[in-house]
Amino acid sequence: MDLNSILSKLETNNEEEIKRLLHQYNVERLCQGLLTVLGRQVGSCCQSTCLETLRILSRDKRVLGPVGTREGMLVLAGLARLQAGEEGGDSLQEDAQTEEEERVVVEALKCLCNVVFNSVAAQQVGADVQLARGLCARLHAARAGCHEVGLFSLRLLFLLSALRPDVRGGLQRELHAVGLLTEVLERTLDLRWVGPYEVAHPGLQALPIPAEDNERAMEALKALFNLTLSDTSDEGGDHQLRLVTAIMRHLLMLKTQTEDKTEEAHSHAINLLSNLPVSCLDVLIDLPVQGGQEEYSGKNMDAVQVLLDFMEKRIDKGANYKEGLTPVLSLLTEGSRYHREIRRYIKTQVLPPLKEVKVRPEIGSTVRNKLVRLMTHVDMGVKQSAAEFLFVLCKESVDHLLKYTGYGNAAGLLVARGLLAGGRGETLYSDDEDSDTEEYKSAKPFINPITGHVEEPMPNPIEDMTEEQKEYEAQKLVNMFDKLSRQQLIRPMGVRRDGTLAPLEEALRQPTADSSDSD
């Protein structure tokens, strides 16, 4: 902050503004002073104390000017033992030896995380001096060391890959960071491979993932998520992504120290799986050594069941559906669309043969009831995700969907797909059997197609009316609709022949235009 500019503003009578300016000036001067001390040859104890102070100050975006410069970032990178700069970026400075020196490295990494997160200028400098290259060199070294050094190195890599698309591209193409982070996960989770894409089963007696290992694994997963957001196809891309899928399957079968941490780990695994090509998802079920279920062509459905349990748990939470539920719904939808065995298994769990037809589809505690309720959720993304999932389980057949949900709940999807007149979606599915129960067959003629259940007989409100009274009520209803329409409070709609909605007058005209000339 320019001193002359502050002096000129001190002449104003605004006390709050004067207080704010002086506070900001004091903190910036303190940041500059700390960097000056850190740039000199001082003891490790003094360095760590200065870095602790700087870490606290670096949470304030307004005072990061001196730290977000090239000089400031290079000081912090040097203290973090990262080799930064355009040349020599592949090497890594000698690792810290003493506990106090490790403390300096950890505090410097924490400062870099705060500064990169809060300062756009620091993000640019981080890209210019190739911090990501130094971080990858550290992760490649794979030396046993301080847990926090590994943790905050991964966190800084995550921040750089999230905030700088150019850094993300360099990590993918030049530094091969997807493979590197895969190796980090293998070491952290102590994996043992028993097949090309199969990790040894953890077993019922497997110990939970230690808390520190779990923390590092989560940071690696977050960085991998960023790197797989865009196309990662290259010469060995498919093989690498299938390895990632196998590790994610293994992670889904593991437990951590607490239930909440296990759910968090599964959430990160699901987010990452959602980024991968759908062709890789066969790795989730194709496990020759562990075997599978005969009715699903010998495929192992343990991981799919974990995904279903995770989905139901997120539905039951009743909050944060957009971030918490839609990724797993999307993953299950795409897996079901392109992998027949996955769809068949999920359908038996979510849409078993229909027997209960006297209760509305959205009422009850089954997974089907919960998903049907979401089809009318206020959040458009959640509503579409739930409807699309059920639609795919029904092999994109409108008739099958209406059987399980009722027309009222499915109307939003059918309008969006242009399928109000019935039909099927565009995906081709196998012709596996979809039989009806005897209960459903006997009740089918009496099911209300709008509500999707058999309704109790209701008294006819016009049964005791005279013809004149019926005509009067009918005319009154017409007048009410006409008034609402003229005031543009409602707009009567009809269905075209192609199944899409149109204003009623247009929908009524279409058959006349399409019909042949005849009397």
Side-chain angles (χ1 to χ4, degrees), residues 20-33:
R20 186 189 67 78
L21 286 170
L22 290 176
H23 173 72
Q24 185 173 349
Y25 176 73
N26 292 339
V27 176
E28 283 199 11
R29 293 285 294 177
L30 178 57
C31 287
Q32 184 62 64

Side-chain angles (χ1 to χ4, degrees), residues 195-253:
Y197 303 114
E198 184 174 0
V199 179
H201 193 278
L204 297 175
Q205 303 302 319
L207 295 174
I209 306 174
E212 290 187 350
D213 291 348
N214 184 61
E215 276 190 291
R216 293 198 304 279
M218 295 308 98
E219 292 300 329
L221 287 177
K222 287 156 58 178
L224 267 173
F225 176 83
N226 291 340
L227 297 182
T228 54
L229 277 171
S230 55
D231 182 26
T232 55
S233 58
D234 55 37
E235 190 172 338
D238 185 65
H239 168 69
Q240 190 64 60
L241 295 180
R242 294 175 83 80
L243 285 176
V244 173
T245 307
I247 296 174
M248 294 307 98
R249 184 201 181 277
H250 181 73
L251 187 59
L252 289 172
M253 307 310 298

Side-chain angles (χ1 to χ4, degrees), residues 127-179:
D128 293 342
V129 302
Q130 302 182 29
L131 272 184
R133 187 176 293 275
L135 290 166
C136 287
R138 165 168 286 150
L139 296 174
H140 266 302
R143 298 176 186 173
C146 174
H147 154 68
E148 288 188 305
V149 172
L151 176 68
F152 290 104
S153 295
L154 286 166
R155 184 166 297 174
L156 183 55
L157 190 68
F158 159 71
L159 290 170
L160 287 168
S161 62
L163 298 170
R164 295 287 304 196
D166 55 336
V167 173
R168 185 161 65 240
L171 283 166
Q172 288 175 341
R173 294 184 299 273
E174 301 164 24
L175 300 173
H176 309 292
V178 173

Side-chain angles (χ1 to χ4, degrees), residues 174-324:
E174 301 164 24
L175 300 173
H176 309 292
V178 173
L180 170 61
L181 290 170
T182 304
E183 293 173 9
V184 170
L185 284 172
E186 289 182 42
R187 294 196 303 265
T188 305
L189 300 175
D190 194 22
L191 301 188
R192 183 171 62 87
W193 294 94
V194 295
Y197 303 114
E198 184 174 0
V199 179
H201 193 278
L204 297 175
Q205 303 302 319
L207 295 174
I209 306 174
E212 290 187 350
D213 291 348
N214 184 61
E215 276 190 291
R216 293 198 304 279
M218 295 308 98
E219 292 300 329
L221 287 177
K222 287 156 58 178
L224 267 173
F225 176 83
N226 291 340
L227 297 182
T228 54
L229 277 171
S230 55
D231 182 26
T232 55
S233 58
D234 55 37
E235 190 172 338
D238 185 65
H239 168 69
Q240 190 64 60
L241 295 180
R242 294 175 83 80
L243 285 176
V244 173
T245 307
I247 296 174
M248 294 307 98
R249 184 201 181 277
H250 181 73
L251 187 59
L252 289 172
M253 307 310 298
L254 292 176
K255 303 291 183 186
T256 65
Q257 300 289 336
T258 67
E259 188 175 337
D260 286 345
K261 288 294 182 182
T262 300
E263 186 176 340
E264 180 188 2
H266 290 177
S267 178
H268 285 307
I270 288 166
N271 290 341
L272 180 51
L273 285 170
S274 299
N275 278 354
L276 304 184
V278 72
S279 60
C280 293
L281 297 185
D282 62 342
V283 173
L284 294 178
I285 60 175
D286 193 8
L287 304 167
V289 176
Q290 298 173 33
Q293 294 161 276
E294 195 173 320
E295 62 267 38
Y296 301 108
S297 305
K299 304 299 183 183
N300 188 306
M301 295 295 167
D302 292 347
V304 178
Q305 185 59 55
V306 172
L307 294 175
L308 284 171
D309 293 340
F310 180 91
M311 176 194 72
E312 187 170 9
K313 186 181 294 186
R314 284 295 171 95
I315 294 175
D316 292 341
K317 278 193 172 182
N320 196 26
Y321 281 155
K322 194 173 186 66
E323 290 80 18

Side-chain angles (χ1 to χ4, degrees), residues 56-69:
I56 295 170
L57 294 173
S58 63
R59 296 170 185 164
D60 188 347
K61 297 180 180 180
R62 298 168 298 177
V63 299
L64 290 178
V67 193
T69 63

